[in-house]
Amino acid sequence: APESEQVMAMNVMEIEQQLRQECANLAYRLAQSLRSQGVNAGIRTIHAASKKRFGKSQDDMNLRELEQKKEWLFQCLERGRIF
């Protein structure tokens, strides 16, 4: 049924939107964490590193790629650096 496909697509879009928001929050926390260590890295630096690592901007990422970016940001936070 086309209706259930529409619902699925909506759900995916909502989940992607949520992941983008989570990534944005993590990037902000990472920037704060780096600054507190005396590293001059803002949100732009983190987005640039992400683009280099994943080969695309967050806006162009699909669900799976957003999951990977979120995981990467978590690991950056845990390590206290961009890798």
Side-chain angles (χ1 to χ4, degrees):
E3 204 171 293
S4 63
E5 282 174 25
Q6 272 186 316
V7 170
M8 284 283 292
M10 281 299 295
N11 288 348
V12 168
M13 284 174 71
E14 282 173 23
I15 295 165
E16 284 180 352
Q17 191 50 48
Q18 196 179 336
L19 279 167
R20 284 190 175 90
Q21 191 56 56
E22 287 173 21
C23 285
N25 293 343
L26 285 167
Y28 178 77
R29 282 173 53 198
L30 180 58
Q32 299 290 86
S33 166
L34 292 170
R35 275 203 199 98
S36 71
Q37 298 174 57
V39 179
N40 186 18
I43 298 284
R44 279 186 179 175
T45 310
I46 295 162
H47 283 310
S50 167
K51 198 166 182 179
K52 195 172 170 184
R53 185 179 178 90
F54 296 103
K56 54 175 72 175
S57 74
Q58 185 169 298
D59 291 340
D60 296 329
M61 289 182 169
N62 64 26
L63 193 73
R64 193 172 48 82
E65 291 162 335
L66 287 164
E67 288 279 10
Q68 289 171 343
K69 179 174 180 176
K70 183 181 162 184
E71 181 59 32
W72 171 72
L73 285 165
F74 262 123
Q75 289 177 5
C76 288
L77 258 177
E78 281 180 354
R79 299 180 193 194
R81 63 186 177 85
I82 300 170
F83 69 93

